[in-house]
Amino acid sequence: MNGRLYAIGTGPGATDLITVRGARTLGRLGVLYAPAGRKGGDSLALSIVREYLSDSVTIRTRHFPMSLDSGEKDAVWDAVAAEMAADVEQGLRVGFITLGDAMLYSTWVFLLARLQGRIPIEIVPGVTSFACIAARAQLPLAMESQSLAVMACTDDESALEQALLTHDCVVLMKVYGRFARIQALLRRLGLLDNALLMADASLPQEQCFRALGELEPDRALPYFSTVVVNKSWPAAAAK
Amino acid sequence: MNGRLYAIGTGPGATDLITVRGARTLGRLGVLYAPAGRKGGDSLALSIVREYLSDSVTIRTRHFPMSLDSGEKDAVWDAVAAEMAADVEQGLRVGFITLGDAMLYSTWVFLLARLQGRIPIEIVPGVTSFACIAARAQLPLAMESQSLAVMACTDDESALEQALLTHDCVVLMKVYGRFARIQALLRRLGLLDNALLMADASLPQEQCFRALGELEPDRALPYFSTVVVNKSWPAAAAK
């Protein structure tokens, strides 16, 4: 019985920002589960890793609903977890791919909650989107005794404000659809000059905005948009 | 003129947890600068990447003092930055390697501060130690609207306490020499059962402690020791 489930963080988007271990693990899979944004839609994670797969791998694309009621979500996670467990119990090397790192804001954690301790699991970490953004924009995250907060913009505004007041560096994930509120908050706190927004980091269509005060509040931004604030390193000075 | 400086995050320690881009970039370097913990000492970062280097690369190990006065540190960073700039200006592909990610608690940022805008620079992000710890221990970092704080234990105790009270998940870096104080703080806040400590994650000598209340406060821990606290996922349940 060599069955095992491998959860692999693909990194932020560019094919070569996956780890060497992730790439090698992908090449030895019998089955790969890939999340798709829409039902029957393409999987960005799958497009990132396709070149590392063997010819014989079976790909199972699965749609995880984002905005349905929690009962419906639970049913999907239960079903996919059961499929994975059955594959592993047949002795297959089963993979699940997830953008960025597997343990940070990833659907993978809902599957892990169902499978931990039941089947052999190995998790291969990945480069987070914000590490990639810091690298691409040449804007550091934290140094020495500084602190970094990673926040979801779906959190309460008071929590976002508190993080921006307290920490030296703040990453604001899930900006999509919420930019106007984030821009207003950064303006109120006097942090617009220490912030930048990057969308689709490391992909060909990557965009970086450094003068956030000048962006139209209702501007349509790509889904993968993240704001990074560093109070001790003006965003305009970066790169 | 193809000269360029590449700052490459090696990841947490295992050779195959570097990115594919990092590995490929290393193979094309003319010169590699590697940080060493002690003067004339070995470089852990260098040992991680050695298999990816070409036979013709020139390796320059440089010692960055940790605890001297800031004037002495500045002089070292100035000198190494000048060496790197001179190599790049000669048209060389110059590398600098740094454990984990290049933009988080890395000496690289002091070099970047001296070289940004002066020479062509490319930064290759890496897997952070805490992403690796979360993967190895099967302990998630943050999900949905949760938040993550990454703190240095050199920070004020009040800042550490505030982070532990405020955020769903807290990573405590730089625990070395400070475990007794961290243990007492976690005990006071009732968080010992939601914390684990991992040392040398992904290396052969990796150690994971899940019952932090039972560890002797003055226990000698490896230099690379990190505590991860997740309030919504008991550490004992992980793996």
Side-chain angles (χ1 to χ4, degrees):
Chain A
M1 286 297 292
N2 294 313
R4 187 174 291 265
L5 176 59
Y6 298 86
I8 303 162
T10 64
T15 289
D16 60 354
L17 288 177
I18 197 170
T19 63
V20 172
R21 183 179 297 180
R24 288 177 184 159
T25 302
L26 285 163
R28 294 191 295 251
L29 294 178
V31 180
L32 174 65
Y33 286 82
R38 285 164 292 113
K39 209 156 187 170
D42 288 339
S43 165
L44 173 59
L46 182 57
S47 72
I48 293 172
V49 305
R50 206 176 270 282
E51 70 180 72
Y52 301 115
L53 298 173
S54 76
D55 293 338
S56 62
V57 70
T58 300
I59 296 172
R60 306 200 211 278
T61 304
R62 292 295 177 266
H63 171 62
F64 296 90
M66 304 277 266
S67 52
L68 299 176
D69 66 282
S70 63
E72 202 158 346
K73 281 190 196 172
D74 277 339
V76 171
W77 292 324
D78 286 347
V80 177
E83 282 188 284
M84 289 173 160
D87 284 343
V88 169
E89 281 153 13
Q90 281 187 37
L92 291 169
R93 300 170 70 94
V94 180
F96 180 75
I97 44 175
T98 175
L99 290 170
D101 177 61
M103 296 303 246
L104 192 60
Y105 300 125
S106 167
T107 296
W108 158 248
V109 176
F110 296 106
L111 298 168
L112 176 65
R114 287 158 171 78
L115 295 168
Q116 193 164 52
R118 287 183 48 201
I119 55 172
I121 291 173
E122 184 174 329
I123 304 169
V124 181
V127 170
T128 60
S129 59
F130 59 84
C132 180
I133 291 168
R136 295 286 303 162
Q138 296 192 6
L139 182 72
L141 295 170
M143 305 169 63
E144 304 196 289
S145 294
Q146 292 182 343
S147 64
L148 164 70
V150 182
M151 310 293 295
C153 292
T154 51
D155 201 353
D156 297 334
E157 176 134 341
S158 62
L160 301 180
E161 175 166 345
Q162 195 54 43
L164 287 163
L165 290 170
T166 308
H167 297 281
D168 305 283
C169 183
V170 178
V171 171
L172 300 168
M173 314 272 290
K174 311 188 188 189
V175 174
Y176 181 75
R178 302 174 186 98
F179 177 67
R181 283 197 290 133
I182 297 303
Q183 185 188 44
L185 178 60
L186 293 171
R187 179 172 287 126
R188 188 154 56 79
L189 300 177
L191 290 173
L192 281 170
D193 291 341
N194 292 83
L196 62 77
L197 183 149
M198 194 174 281
D200 296 326
S202 84
L203 291 170
Q205 70 273 24
E206 175 184 293
Q207 289 179 278
C208 185
F209 303 95
R210 288 166 197 274
L212 294 192
E214 294 162 24
L215 270 189
E216 314 87 78
D218 56 352
R219 184 187 176 105
L221 291 165
Y223 183 72
F224 291 110
S225 290
T226 300
V227 168
V228 179
V229 181
N230 185 327
K231 292 184 195 170
S232 56
W233 196 292
K239 199 164 175 182
Chain B
M1 284 300 289
N2 294 313
R4 186 175 292 265
L5 176 59
Y6 298 86
I8 302 163
T10 64
T15 290
D16 60 355
L17 288 177
I18 196 171
T19 62
V20 171
R21 184 180 297 181
R24 288 178 183 158
T25 302
L26 285 162
R28 293 191 295 252
L29 294 177
V31 179
L32 175 66
Y33 286 83
R38 284 164 293 113
K39 210 158 188 168
D42 288 338
S43 166
L44 173 59
L46 182 57
S47 71
I48 294 172
V49 305
R50 206 176 271 281
E51 70 181 71
Y52 300 115
L53 298 173
S54 76
D55 294 339
S56 61
V57 70
T58 300
I59 295 171
R60 306 200 211 278
T61 305
R62 294 293 178 267
H63 170 63
F64 296 90
M66 303 276 266
S67 53
L68 300 176
D69 65 283
S70 63
E72 202 158 345
K73 281 191 196 172
D74 277 339
V76 171
W77 293 323
D78 286 347
V80 177
E83 283 188 284
M84 288 173 161
D87 285 342
V88 169
E89 281 154 11
Q90 282 187 38
L92 291 168
R93 299 170 70 95
V94 180
F96 180 75
I97 45 176
T98 174
L99 290 170
D101 178 60
M103 296 303 244
L104 191 61
Y105 300 126
S106 167
T107 296
W108 158 248
V109 175
F110 297 106
L111 298 168
L112 176 64
R114 287 159 170 78
L115 294 168
Q116 193 164 52
R118 286 182 49 201
I119 55 172
I121 290 173
E122 183 175 329
I123 304 169
V124 181
V127 171
T128 60
S129 60
F130 60 84
C132 180
I133 291 167
R136 296 286 303 161
Q138 297 191 4
L139 182 72
L141 296 170
M143 306 168 63
E144 304 197 286
S145 294
Q146 293 182 342
S147 63
L148 164 71
V150 183
M151 310 292 296
C153 292
T154 51
D155 201 352
D156 298 335
E157 176 134 341
S158 61
L160 301 180
E161 175 167 344
Q162 195 55 45
L164 287 162
L165 291 170
T166 308
H167 296 281
D168 305 282
C169 184
V170 178
V171 171
L172 300 168
M173 313 272 291
K174 310 188 189 190
V175 175
Y176 181 76
R178 301 175 187 99
F179 176 68
R181 282 196 290 132
I182 297 302
Q183 185 188 43
L185 178 60
L186 293 172
R187 179 171 286 127
R188 189 154 56 77
L189 300 179
L191 291 173
L192 280 170
D193 291 340
N194 292 84
L196 61 78
L197 183 149
M198 195 174 279
D200 296 327
S202 83
L203 291 170
Q205 70 273 23
E206 175 185 292
Q207 288 179 279
C208 185
F209 303 95
R210 288 167 198 272
L212 293 192
E214 295 162 23
L215 271 189
E216 313 87 78
D218 56 352
R219 184 188 177 104
L221 291 166
Y223 183 72
F224 291 110
S225 291
T226 300
V227 168
V228 180
V229 181
N230 184 328
K231 292 184 195 168
S232 55
W233 196 292
K239 200 165 177 180

